[in-house]
Coordinates of all heavy atoms in Angstrom, one line a residue:
M1473 N 0.8 -1.2 0.0 CA 0.0 0.0 0.0 C 0.9 1.3 0.0 O 0.7 2.1 -0.8 CB -0.9 0.0 1.2 CG -1.9 1.1 1.3 SD -3.2 0.8 0.0 CE -4.4 1.8 0.7
I1474 N 1.8 1.3 0.9 CA 2.7 2.5 1.0 C 3.5 2.6 -0.3 O 3.6 3.7 -0.9 CB 3.7 2.4 2.2 CG1 2.9 2.5 3.5 CG2 4.8 3.4 2.1 CD1 3.7 2.3 4.7
H1475 N 4.0 1.4 -0.8 CA 4.7 1.4 -2.1 C 3.9 2.0 -3.2 O 4.3 2.8 -4.0 CB 5.2 0.0 -2.4 CG 5.9 -0.1 -3.7 ND1 7.2 0.4 -3.8 CD2 5.6 -0.6 -4.9 CE1 7.7 0.2 -5.0 NE2 6.7 -0.4 -5.7
S1476 N 2.6 1.6 -3.2 CA 1.7 2.1 -4.3 C 1.5 3.6 -4.2 O 1.4 4.3 -5.2 CB 0.4 1.3 -4.2 OG -0.5 1.8 -5.1
N1477 N 1.3 4.1 -3.0 CA 1.1 5.5 -2.8 C 2.3 6.3 -3.2 O 2.2 7.4 -3.8 CB 0.8 5.9 -1.3 CG -0.7 5.5 -1.0 OD1 -1.5 5.3 -1.9 ND2 -0.9 5.3 0.3
R1478 N 3.5 5.8 -2.9 CA 4.7 6.5 -3.3 C 4.9 6.5 -4.8 O 5.2 7.6 -5.4 CB 5.9 5.8 -2.7 CG 7.2 6.5 -3.0 CD 8.4 5.9 -2.4 NE 8.4 5.7 -1.0 CZ 9.0 4.8 -0.3 NH1 9.8 3.9 -0.9 NH2 8.9 4.8 1.0
R1479 N 4.5 5.4 -5.4 CA 4.6 5.3 -6.9 C 3.6 6.3 -7.5 O 3.9 7.0 -8.4 CB 4.3 3.9 -7.3 CG 4.4 3.7 -8.8 CD 4.4 2.2 -9.2 NE 4.7 2.1 -10.6 CZ 3.8 1.9 -11.5 NH1 2.5 1.8 -11.1 NH2 4.1 1.8 -12.7
T1480 N 2.4 6.3 -7.0 CA 1.4 7.3 -7.5 C 1.9 8.7 -7.3 O 1.7 9.5 -8.2 CB 0.1 7.1 -6.7 OG1 -0.3 5.7 -6.9 CG2 -1.0 8.0 -7.2
F1481 N 2.4 9.0 -6.1 CA 2.9 10.4 -5.9 C 4.0 10.7 -6.9 O 4.0 11.8 -7.5 CB 3.5 10.4 -4.5 CG 4.2 11.7 -4.1 CD1 3.4 12.9 -3.9 CD2 5.5 11.8 -4.1 CE1 4.0 14.1 -3.6 CE2 6.2 13.0 -3.8 CZ 5.4 14.2 -3.6
M1482 N 5.0 9.8 -7.1 CA 6.1 10.1 -8.0 C 5.6 10.3 -9.5 O 6.0 11.2 -10.2 CB 7.1 8.9 -8.0 CG 7.8 8.8 -6.7 SD 8.6 10.4 -6.1 CE 10.0 10.3 -7.2
L1483 N 4.6 9.5 -9.8 CA 4.0 9.7 -11.2 C 3.3 11.0 -11.3 O 3.4 11.7 -12.4 CB 3.0 8.6 -11.5 CG 3.6 7.2 -11.8 CD1 2.5 6.1 -11.8 CD2 4.4 7.2 -13.1
R1484 N 2.6 11.5 -10.3 CA 1.9 12.8 -10.3 C 3.0 13.9 -10.4 O 2.8 14.9 -11.1 CB 1.1 12.9 -9.1 CG -0.2 12.2 -9.2 CD -1.2 12.4 -8.1 NE -2.4 11.6 -8.2 CZ -3.1 11.3 -7.2 NH1 -2.9 11.7 -6.0 NH2 -4.2 10.6 -7.4
V1485 N 4.0 13.8 -9.6 CA 5.1 14.8 -9.7 C 5.7 14.9 -11.1 O 5.9 16.0 -11.6 CB 6.2 14.5 -8.6 CG1 7.4 15.4 -8.9 CG2 5.7 14.7 -7.2
A1486 N 6.0 13.7 -11.6 CA 6.5 13.7 -13.0 C 5.6 14.3 -14.0 O 6.0 15.1 -14.9 CB 6.9 12.3 -13.4
A1487 N 4.3 14.0 -13.9 CA 3.3 14.5 -14.8 C 3.1 16.0 -14.7 O 3.1 16.7 -15.7 CB 2.0 13.8 -14.5
S1488 N 3.1 16.5 -13.4 CA 3.0 17.9 -13.3 C 4.2 18.7 -13.8 O 4.1 19.8 -14.4 CB 2.7 18.3 -11.8 OG 3.8 18.0 -11.0
G1489 N 5.4 18.1 -13.7 CA 6.6 18.7 -14.2 C 6.5 18.8 -15.7 O 6.9 19.8 -16.3
S1490 N 6.0 17.7 -16.3 CA 5.9 17.7 -17.8 C 4.9 18.8 -18.3 O 5.1 19.5 -19.3 CB 5.4 16.3 -18.3 OG 6.4 15.4 -17.9
V1491 N 3.8 18.9 -17.5 CA 2.7 19.9 -17.9 C 3.3 21.3 -17.8 O 3.1 22.1 -18.6 CB 1.5 19.7 -17.0 CG1 0.6 20.9 -17.1 CG2 0.8 18.4 -17.3
L1492 N 4.1 21.5 -16.7 CA 4.7 22.9 -16.5 C 5.7 23.2 -17.7 O 5.7 24.2 -18.2 CB 5.5 22.9 -15.2 CG 4.6 23.2 -14.0 CD1 5.5 23.2 -12.7 CD2 4.0 24.6 -14.1
A1493 N 6.5 22.2 -18.0 CA 7.5 22.4 -19.1 C 6.8 22.6 -20.4 O 7.2 23.5 -21.2 CB 8.4 21.2 -19.2
A1494 N 5.7 21.9 -20.7 CA 5.0 22.1 -21.9 C 4.3 23.4 -21.9 O 4.3 24.1 -22.9 CB 3.9 21.0 -22.0
G1495 N 3.8 23.9 -20.8 CA 3.2 25.2 -20.7 C 4.2 26.3 -21.0 O 3.9 27.2 -21.7
Q1496 N 5.4 26.2 -20.4 CA 6.4 27.2 -20.6 C 6.8 27.2 -22.1 O 7.0 28.3 -22.7 CB 7.7 26.9 -19.8 CG 7.4 27.2 -18.3 CD 8.5 26.8 -17.4 OE1 9.3 26.0 -17.8 NE2 8.5 27.3 -16.2
A1497 N 7.0 26.0 -22.7 CA 7.4 25.9 -24.1 C 6.3 26.6 -25.0 O 6.6 27.3 -25.9 CB 7.6 24.5 -24.5
L1498 N 5.0 26.3 -24.6 CA 3.9 26.8 -25.4 C 3.9 28.3 -25.3 O 3.6 29.0 -26.3 CB 2.6 26.2 -24.9 CG 1.4 26.5 -25.7 CD1 1.5 25.9 -27.1 CD2 0.1 25.9 -25.1
A1499 N 4.1 28.8 -24.1 CA 4.1 30.3 -23.9 C 5.2 31.0 -24.7 O 4.9 32.0 -25.3 CB 4.3 30.6 -22.4
Q1500 N 6.3 30.3 -24.8 CA 7.4 30.9 -25.6 C 7.1 30.9 -27.1 O 7.3 31.8 -27.9 CB 8.7 30.2 -25.4 CG 9.3 30.5 -24.0 CD 10.5 29.7 -23.7 OE1 10.9 28.8 -24.4 NE2 11.1 30.0 -22.5
V1501 N 6.5 29.7 -27.5 CA 6.1 29.6 -28.9 C 5.0 30.5 -29.3 O 4.9 31.0 -30.4 CB 5.8 28.1 -29.2 CG1 5.2 27.9 -30.6 CG2 7.1 27.2 -29.1
A1502 N 4.0 30.6 -28.4 CA 2.8 31.3 -28.7 C 3.0 32.8 -28.8 O 2.2 33.5 -29.4 CB 1.8 31.0 -27.6
A1503 N 4.0 33.4 -28.2 CA 4.2 34.9 -28.3 C 4.4 35.3 -29.7 O 5.5 34.9 -30.3 CB 5.3 35.3 -27.4
P1504 N 3.5 36.0 -30.3 CA 3.7 36.4 -31.7 C 4.7 37.5 -31.8 O 5.0 38.3 -30.9 CB 2.3 36.9 -32.1 CG 1.7 37.4 -30.8 CD 2.3 36.5 -29.7
K1505 N 5.3 37.6 -33.0 CA 6.2 38.7 -33.3 C 5.5 40.0 -33.6 O 4.4 40.0 -34.2 CB 7.1 38.4 -34.5 CG 8.3 37.4 -34.1 CD 9.2 37.3 -35.3 CE 10.6 37.5 -34.9 NZ 11.5 37.4 -36.0
V1506 N 6.0 41.1 -33.1 CA 5.5 42.4 -33.5 C 5.6 42.6 -35.0 O 6.6 42.3 -35.6 CB 6.2 43.5 -32.7 CG1 5.8 44.9 -33.2 CG2 6.0 43.4 -31.2
Q1507 N 4.5 43.0 -35.6 CA 4.5 43.4 -37.0 C 4.7 44.9 -37.2 O 4.1 45.7 -36.4 CB 3.1 43.0 -37.6 CG 2.8 41.5 -37.5 CD 3.8 40.6 -38.1 OE1 4.1 40.8 -39.3 NE2 4.3 39.6 -37.4
E1508 N 5.5 45.2 -38.1 CA 5.8 46.6 -38.4 C 4.6 47.5 -38.7 O 4.6 48.7 -38.5 CB 6.8 46.8 -39.5 CG 8.2 46.2 -39.1 CD 9.2 46.3 -40.3 OE1 8.8 46.7 -41.4 OE2 10.3 45.8 -40.1
T1509 N 3.6 46.8 -39.2 CA 2.3 47.5 -39.6 C 1.3 47.7 -38.5 O 0.3 48.4 -38.7 CB 1.7 46.7 -40.7 OG1 1.5 45.4 -40.3 CG2 2.5 46.7 -42.0
E1510 N 1.6 47.2 -37.3 CA 0.7 47.4 -36.1 C 0.7 48.9 -35.7 O 1.8 49.5 -35.8 CB 1.2 46.6 -34.9 CG 1.0 45.1 -35.1 CD 1.6 44.3 -33.9 OE1 1.6 44.8 -32.8 OE2 2.0 43.2 -34.1
P1511 N -0.4 49.4 -35.3 CA -0.5 50.8 -34.9 C 0.6 51.2 -33.9 O 1.3 52.3 -34.1 CB -1.8 51.0 -34.3 CG -2.7 49.9 -34.9 CD -1.7 48.8 -35.2
Q1512 N 0.9 50.4 -32.9 CA 1.9 50.8 -31.9 C 3.3 50.8 -32.5 O 4.1 51.6 -32.2 CB 1.8 49.8 -30.7 CG 2.8 50.2 -29.6 CD 2.7 49.3 -28.4 OE1 1.9 48.3 -28.4 NE2 3.5 49.5 -27.4
A1513 N 3.5 49.8 -33.4 CA 4.8 49.7 -34.0 C 5.0 50.9 -35.0 O 6.1 51.5 -35.0 CB 4.9 48.4 -34.8
L1514 N 4.0 51.3 -35.7 CA 4.1 52.4 -36.6 C 4.3 53.7 -35.8 O 5.2 54.5 -36.2 CB 2.8 52.6 -37.4 CG 2.6 51.5 -38.5 CD1 1.2 51.7 -39.0 CD2 3.6 51.8 -39.6
A1515 N 3.6 53.8 -34.6 CA 3.8 55.0 -33.8 C 5.2 55.1 -33.3 O 5.7 56.3 -33.1 CB 2.8 55.0 -32.7
L1516 N 5.9 54.0 -33.0 CA 7.2 54.0 -32.4 C 8.3 53.8 -33.5 O 9.5 53.8 -33.2 CB 7.4 52.9 -31.4 CG 6.6 53.1 -30.1 CD1 6.5 51.8 -29.3 CD2 7.1 54.2 -29.3
G1517 N 7.9 53.7 -34.7 CA 8.9 53.6 -35.8 C 9.6 52.2 -35.8 O 10.8 52.1 -36.2
Y1518 N 8.9 51.2 -35.2 CA 9.6 49.9 -35.1 C 9.9 49.3 -36.4 O 9.1 49.3 -37.3 CB 8.7 48.9 -34.3 CG 9.2 47.5 -34.2 CD1 10.3 47.2 -33.4 CD2 8.7 46.5 -35.1 CE1 10.8 45.9 -33.4 CE2 9.2 45.2 -35.0 CZ 10.2 44.9 -34.2 OH 10.7 43.6 -34.2
K1519 N 11.1 48.8 -36.5 CA 11.6 48.0 -37.7 C 12.2 46.7 -37.2 O 12.9 46.7 -36.2 CB 12.6 48.8 -38.5 CG 12.1 50.0 -39.2 CD 11.2 49.6 -40.4 CE 10.6 50.8 -41.1 NZ 9.6 50.5 -42.1
E1520 N 11.9 45.6 -37.9 CA 12.5 44.3 -37.5 C 14.0 44.3 -37.8 O 14.7 43.6 -37.1 CB 11.9 43.2 -38.4 CG 10.7 42.6 -37.8 CD 10.2 41.3 -38.5 OE1 11.1 40.5 -38.9 OE2 9.0 41.1 -38.5
D1521 N 14.5 45.2 -38.7 CA 15.9 45.3 -39.0 C 16.3 46.7 -38.8 O 15.9 47.6 -39.5 CB 16.1 44.8 -40.5 CG 17.5 44.9 -40.9 OD1 18.4 45.4 -40.2 OD2 17.8 44.4 -42.0
T1522 N 17.2 46.9 -37.8 CA 17.6 48.3 -37.5 C 18.2 49.0 -38.7 O 18.2 50.2 -38.7 CB 18.6 48.2 -36.3 OG1 18.8 49.6 -35.8 CG2 19.9 47.6 -36.6
T1523 N 18.8 48.3 -39.6 CA 19.4 49.0 -40.8 C 18.4 49.5 -41.8 O 18.8 50.2 -42.7 CB 20.4 48.0 -41.5 OG1 19.6 46.9 -42.1 CG2 21.4 47.4 -40.6
K1524 N 17.1 49.2 -41.5 CA 16.1 49.6 -42.4 C 15.3 50.9 -41.9 O 14.3 51.3 -42.4 CB 15.0 48.5 -42.7 CG 15.6 47.2 -43.2 CD 15.9 47.4 -44.7 CE 16.2 46.1 -45.4 NZ 17.4 45.4 -45.2
V1525 N 15.8 51.4 -40.8 CA 15.2 52.6 -40.1 C 15.4 53.8 -41.0 O 16.4 54.0 -41.6 CB 15.7 52.8 -38.7 CG1 15.2 54.1 -38.1 CG2 15.4 51.7 -37.8
D1526 N 14.3 54.6 -41.1 CA 14.3 55.8 -41.9 C 15.2 56.9 -41.3 O 14.8 57.5 -40.2 CB 12.9 56.3 -42.1 CG 12.8 57.6 -43.0 OD1 13.8 58.2 -43.3 OD2 11.6 57.9 -43.4
A1527 N 16.4 57.1 -41.8 CA 17.4 58.0 -41.2 C 16.9 59.5 -41.2 O 17.2 60.2 -40.3 CB 18.7 57.9 -42.0
K1528 N 16.0 59.8 -42.2 CA 15.5 61.2 -42.2 C 14.5 61.4 -41.1 O 14.5 62.5 -40.4 CB 14.9 61.5 -43.5 CG 15.9 61.6 -44.7 CD 15.2 62.0 -46.0 CE 16.2 62.0 -47.1 NZ 15.6 62.0 -48.4
K1529 N 13.7 60.4 -40.9 CA 12.7 60.5 -39.8 C 13.3 60.4 -38.4 O 12.8 61.0 -37.4 CB 11.6 59.4 -40.0 CG 10.3 59.7 -39.3 CD 9.2 58.7 -39.8 CE 7.9 58.9 -39.0 NZ 6.9 57.9 -39.4
Y1530 N 14.3 59.6 -38.3 CA 15.0 59.3 -37.0 C 16.5 59.6 -37.1 O 17.3 58.7 -37.1 CB 14.7 57.9 -36.5 CG 13.3 57.6 -36.4 CD1 12.6 56.8 -37.4 CD2 12.5 58.0 -35.3 CE1 11.2 56.5 -37.3 CE2 11.2 57.7 -35.2 CZ 10.5 57.0 -36.2 OH 9.2 56.7 -36.1
P1531 N 16.8 60.9 -37.2 CA 18.3 61.3 -37.4 C 19.2 60.8 -36.2 O 20.4 60.7 -36.4 CB 18.2 62.8 -37.5 CG 16.9 63.2 -36.9 CD 16.0 62.1 -37.1
K1532 N 18.7 60.6 -35.0 CA 19.5 60.1 -33.9 C 19.8 58.6 -34.0 O 20.6 58.1 -33.2 CB 18.9 60.5 -32.6 CG 18.9 62.0 -32.4 CD 18.4 62.4 -31.0 CE 18.4 63.9 -30.8 NZ 17.8 64.3 -29.5
H1533 N 19.1 57.9 -34.8 CA 19.2 56.4 -34.9 C 20.6 56.1 -35.5 O 21.2 56.8 -36.4 CB 18.2 55.8 -35.8 CG 18.5 54.4 -36.2 ND1 19.1 54.1 -37.4 CD2 18.3 53.3 -35.6 CE1 19.3 52.8 -37.5 NE2 18.8 52.3 -36.4
A1534 N 21.2 55.0 -35.0 CA 22.4 54.5 -35.5 C 22.3 53.0 -35.7 O 21.5 52.4 -34.9 CB 23.6 54.8 -34.6
D1535 N 22.9 52.4 -36.7 CA 22.7 51.0 -37.0 C 23.2 50.1 -35.9 O 22.8 49.0 -35.8 CB 23.4 50.6 -38.3 CG 22.7 51.1 -39.5 OD1 21.6 51.6 -39.4 OD2 23.3 51.0 -40.7
S1536 N 24.1 50.7 -35.0 CA 24.6 49.9 -33.9 C 23.5 49.8 -32.8 O 23.7 49.0 -31.9 CB 25.8 50.6 -33.3 OG 25.5 51.9 -32.9
Q1537 N 22.5 50.5 -32.9 CA 21.4 50.4 -31.9 C 20.4 49.4 -32.4 O 19.9 49.4 -33.5 CB 20.6 51.8 -31.8 CG 21.4 52.9 -31.4 CD 20.7 54.3 -31.6 OE1 19.6 54.3 -32.1 NE2 21.3 55.3 -31.1
D1538 N 20.1 48.4 -31.5 CA 19.2 47.4 -31.8 C 18.5 46.9 -30.5 O 18.9 47.3 -29.4 CB 19.8 46.2 -32.6 CG 20.9 45.5 -31.8 OD1 21.0 45.7 -30.6 OD2 21.7 44.8 -32.4
C1539 N 17.4 46.1 -30.7 CA 16.7 45.7 -29.5 C 17.5 44.9 -28.5 O 17.4 45.1 -27.3 CB 15.5 44.9 -29.9 SG 14.2 45.8 -30.8
A1540 N 18.5 44.1 -29.0 CA 19.3 43.4 -28.1 C 20.1 44.2 -27.2 O 20.5 43.8 -26.1 CB 20.2 42.4 -29.0
S1541 N 20.4 45.5 -27.6 CA 21.2 46.4 -26.8 C 20.3 47.4 -26.1 O 20.9 48.4 -25.5 CB 22.3 47.1 -27.6 OG 21.6 47.9 -28.6
C1542 N 19.0 47.2 -26.1 CA 18.1 48.1 -25.5 C 17.7 47.7 -24.0 O 17.6 46.5 -23.8 CB 16.8 48.2 -26.3 SG 15.5 49.2 -25.6
Q1543 N 17.6 48.6 -23.2 CA 17.2 48.4 -21.8 C 15.9 47.6 -21.6 O 15.7 46.9 -20.7 CB 17.1 49.7 -21.1 CG 17.5 49.7 -19.6 CD 17.7 51.1 -19.1 OE1 17.1 52.1 -19.6 NE2 18.6 51.2 -18.1
L1544 N 15.0 47.8 -22.6 CA 13.6 47.2 -22.4 C 13.6 45.8 -23.0 O 12.5 45.1 -22.9 CB 12.6 48.1 -23.1 CG 12.4 49.5 -22.4 CD1 11.4 50.3 -23.2 CD2 12.0 49.3 -21.0
Y1545 N 14.6 45.3 -23.7 CA 14.7 44.0 -24.3 C 14.8 42.9 -23.2 O 15.6 43.0 -22.3 CB 15.8 43.9 -25.2 CG 15.9 42.6 -26.0 CD1 14.9 42.3 -27.0 CD2 16.9 41.7 -25.9 CE1 14.9 41.1 -27.7 CE2 16.9 40.5 -26.6 CZ 15.9 40.3 -27.5 OH 16.0 39.1 -28.3
Q1546 N 13.9 41.9 -23.3 CA 13.9 40.8 -22.3 C 14.4 39.5 -22.8 O 14.4 38.5 -22.1 CB 12.4 40.7 -21.9 CG 11.9 41.9 -21.2 CD 10.3 41.9 -21.1 OE1 9.6 41.1 -21.7 NE2 9.8 42.9 -20.4
G1547 N 14.9 39.5 -24.0 CA 15.5 38.2 -24.6 C 16.9 38.0 -24.0 O 17.5 38.9 -23.4
K1548 N 17.3 36.8 -24.2 CA 18.7 36.4 -23.8 C 19.6 36.9 -25.0 O 19.2 37.0 -26.1 CB 18.8 34.9 -23.6 CG 18.0 34.5 -22.3 CD 18.1 33.0 -22.1 CE 17.1 32.7 -21.0 NZ 16.5 31.4 -21.1
P1549 N 20.9 37.0 -24.7 CA 21.9 37.5 -25.7 C 21.9 36.8 -27.0 O 22.0 37.4 -28.1 CB 23.2 37.4 -25.0 CG 22.9 37.5 -23.6 CD 21.6 36.8 -23.4
K1550 N 21.7 35.5 -27.0 CA 21.7 34.7 -28.3 C 20.3 34.5 -28.9 O 20.2 33.9 -30.0 CB 22.4 33.4 -28.1 CG 23.9 33.5 -27.8 CD 24.6 32.2 -27.7 CE 26.1 32.5 -27.5 NZ 26.8 31.2 -27.4
D1551 N 19.3 35.0 -28.3 CA 17.9 34.8 -28.9 C 17.8 35.7 -30.1 O 18.2 36.8 -30.1 CB 16.9 35.2 -27.8 CG 16.8 34.3 -26.7 OD1 17.3 33.1 -26.8 OD2 16.1 34.6 -25.7
A1552 N 17.0 35.2 -31.1 CA 16.7 35.9 -32.3 C 15.6 37.0 -32.0 O 15.5 38.0 -32.7 CB 16.3 35.0 -33.4
A1553 N 14.8 36.7 -31.0 CA 13.8 37.6 -30.6 C 13.5 37.4 -29.2 O 13.8 36.4 -28.6 CB 12.5 37.3 -31.5
G1554 N 12.8 38.4 -28.6 CA 12.5 38.4 -27.2 C 11.4 39.4 -26.8 O 11.0 40.2 -27.7
G1555 N 11.0 39.3 -25.6 CA 10.0 40.3 -25.1 C 10.5 41.7 -25.0 O 11.7 41.9 -25.1
C1556 N 9.6 42.6 -25.0 CA 10.0 44.0 -24.8 C 9.0 44.6 -23.9 O 7.8 44.3 -23.9 CB 9.9 44.7 -26.2 SG 9.8 46.5 -26.1
G1557 N 9.4 45.5 -23.0 CA 8.6 46.1 -22.0 C 7.4 47.0 -22.7 O 6.4 47.2 -22.0
L1558 N 7.6 47.4 -23.9 CA 6.6 48.2 -24.6 C 5.6 47.4 -25.3 O 4.4 47.8 -25.4 CB 7.2 49.2 -25.5 CG 8.1 50.3 -24.9 CD1 8.6 51.2 -26.0 CD2 7.3 51.1 -23.9
F1559 N 6.0 46.2 -25.8 CA 5.1 45.4 -26.6 C 4.8 44.1 -25.8 O 5.3 43.1 -26.0 CB 5.8 45.0 -27.9 CG 6.0 46.1 -28.9 CD1 7.2 46.8 -28.9 CD2 5.0 46.6 -29.7 CE1 7.5 47.9 -29.8 CE2 5.2 47.7 -30.6 CZ 6.5 48.3 -30.6
V1560 N 3.9 44.3 -24.8 CA 3.6 43.3 -23.9 C 2.9 42.1 -24.6 O 2.0 42.3 -25.4 CB 2.7 43.8 -22.7 CG1 2.3 42.7 -21.8 CG2 3.4 44.9 -22.0
G1561 N 3.4 40.9 -24.3 CA 2.8 39.7 -24.8 C 3.3 39.4 -26.2 O 2.8 38.4 -26.9
K1562 N 4.2 40.1 -26.7 CA 4.8 39.9 -28.1 C 6.3 39.9 -28.0 O 6.9 40.2 -27.0 CB 4.3 41.0 -29.0 CG 2.8 41.0 -29.2 CD 2.3 41.8 -30.3 CE 0.8 41.6 -30.5 NZ 0.3 42.4 -31.5
Q1563 N 6.9 39.5 -29.2 CA 8.3 39.5 -29.3 C 8.8 40.4 -30.3 O 8.2 40.6 -31.4 CB 8.8 38.1 -29.7 CG 8.5 37.0 -28.6 CD 9.3 35.8 -28.8 OE1 9.5 35.3 -29.9 NE2 9.8 35.2 -27.7
V1564 N 9.9 41.1 -30.0 CA 10.6 41.9 -31.0 C 11.8 41.2 -31.5 O 12.4 40.4 -30.8 CB 10.9 43.3 -30.4 CG1 9.6 44.1 -30.0 CG2 11.8 43.2 -29.2
S1565 N 12.3 41.6 -32.7 CA 13.5 41.0 -33.2 C 14.7 41.6 -32.5 O 14.8 42.8 -32.2 CB 13.6 41.4 -34.7 OG 14.9 41.1 -35.2
A1566 N 15.7 40.7 -32.2 CA 16.9 41.2 -31.5 C 17.6 42.2 -32.4 O 18.3 43.1 -31.8 CB 17.8 40.0 -31.2
K1567 N 17.4 42.1 -33.7 CA 18.0 43.1 -34.6 C 17.1 44.3 -34.9 O 17.4 45.0 -35.8 CB 18.4 42.4 -35.9 CG 19.5 41.3 -35.7 CD 19.9 40.6 -37.0 CE 20.9 39.6 -36.7 NZ 21.3 38.8 -37.9
G1568 N 16.0 44.3 -34.2 CA 15.0 45.4 -34.5 C 15.4 46.7 -33.8 O 16.4 46.8 -33.1
W1569 N 14.5 47.7 -33.9 CA 14.7 49.0 -33.3 C 13.4 49.7 -33.3 O 12.6 49.5 -34.2 CB 15.7 49.8 -34.2 CG 16.1 51.1 -33.6 CD1 17.1 51.4 -32.7 CD2 15.4 52.4 -33.9 NE1 17.1 52.8 -32.4 CE2 16.1 53.4 -33.1 CE3 14.3 52.8 -34.7 CZ2 15.7 54.7 -33.2 CZ3 14.0 54.1 -34.7 CH2 14.6 55.1 -34.0
C1570 N 13.3 50.6 -32.3 CA 12.2 51.6 -32.3 C 12.7 52.8 -31.7 O 13.7 52.9 -31.1 CB 10.9 51.0 -31.6 SG 10.9 51.3 -29.8
S1571 N 11.9 53.9 -31.8 CA 12.3 55.2 -31.3 C 12.4 55.3 -29.8 O 12.9 56.3 -29.3 CB 11.4 56.3 -31.8 OG 10.0 56.0 -31.4
A1572 N 12.0 54.3 -29.1 CA 12.1 54.3 -27.6 C 13.4 53.6 -27.2 O 13.6 53.4 -26.0 CB 10.9 53.6 -27.0
W1573 N 14.3 53.3 -28.2 CA 15.5 52.6 -27.8 C 16.3 53.4 -26.8 O 16.4 54.6 -26.8 CB 16.4 52.5 -29.1 CG 17.7 51.7 -28.8 CD1 17.9 50.4 -28.8 CD2 19.0 52.3 -28.5 NE1 19.2 50.1 -28.5 CE2 19.9 51.2 -28.3 CE3 19.4 53.6 -28.3 CZ2 21.2 51.5 -27.9 CZ3 20.7 53.8 -27.9 CH2 21.6 52.7 -27.8
N1574 N 16.8 52.6 -25.8 CA 17.6 53.2 -24.7 C 18.7 52.2 -24.3 O 18.4 51.1 -24.0 CB 16.6 53.5 -23.5 CG 17.3 54.4 -22.5 OD1 18.3 55.0 -22.7 ND2 16.6 54.5 -21.3
K1575 N 19.9 52.7 -24.4 CA 21.0 51.8 -24.2 C 21.0 51.0 -22.9 O 20.7 51.6 -21.9 CB 22.3 52.5 -24.3 CG 23.6 51.7 -24.3 CD 24.8 52.5 -24.6 CE 26.1 51.7 -24.5 NZ 26.3 50.6 -25.3
K1576 N 21.1 49.7 -23.0 CA 21.2 48.8 -21.9 C 22.4 49.2 -21.0 O 23.5 49.4 -21.5 CB 21.3 47.4 -22.3 CG 21.0 46.3 -21.3 CD 21.2 44.9 -21.9 CE 19.9 44.5 -22.6 NZ 19.9 43.2 -23.1
A1577 N 22.2 49.3 -19.7 CA 23.2 49.6 -18.8 C 24.3 48.6 -18.7 O 24.1 47.4 -18.9 CB 22.7 49.9 -17.4
Ligands
SF4_703 FE1 13.4 47.2 -29.3 FE2 13.8 48.7 -27.1 FE3 12.1 49.5 -28.9 FE4 11.5 47.4 -27.4 S1 11.9 49.6 -26.7 S2 11.2 47.6 -29.6 S3 13.5 46.5 -27.2 S4 14.3 49.3 -29.3

């Protein structure tokens, strides 16, 4: 009886761990990328590729500025995309840029 309860407990722990891992993976996969045509992206001048930013419209922009080097970027250094404090629930390109760019400390 005790052996059976322990086995049941271990199976439940393993199952809940799998569900948590699957949930985290799904959350990462499910976060859509910000589209340049979205109203918020347009308002902030967001571009997926920092080299495509309109230099006339944003004269202070430099190609060395990208989301990966921005204070609001939440991705890891090697991630192609990650979260951003301004685009909640979405992902921005690590090579992207918007007019709210602020150098990471
Ligand atoms: Fe990229 Fe920073 Fe603009 Fe977010 S705030 S889109 S991380 S440049």
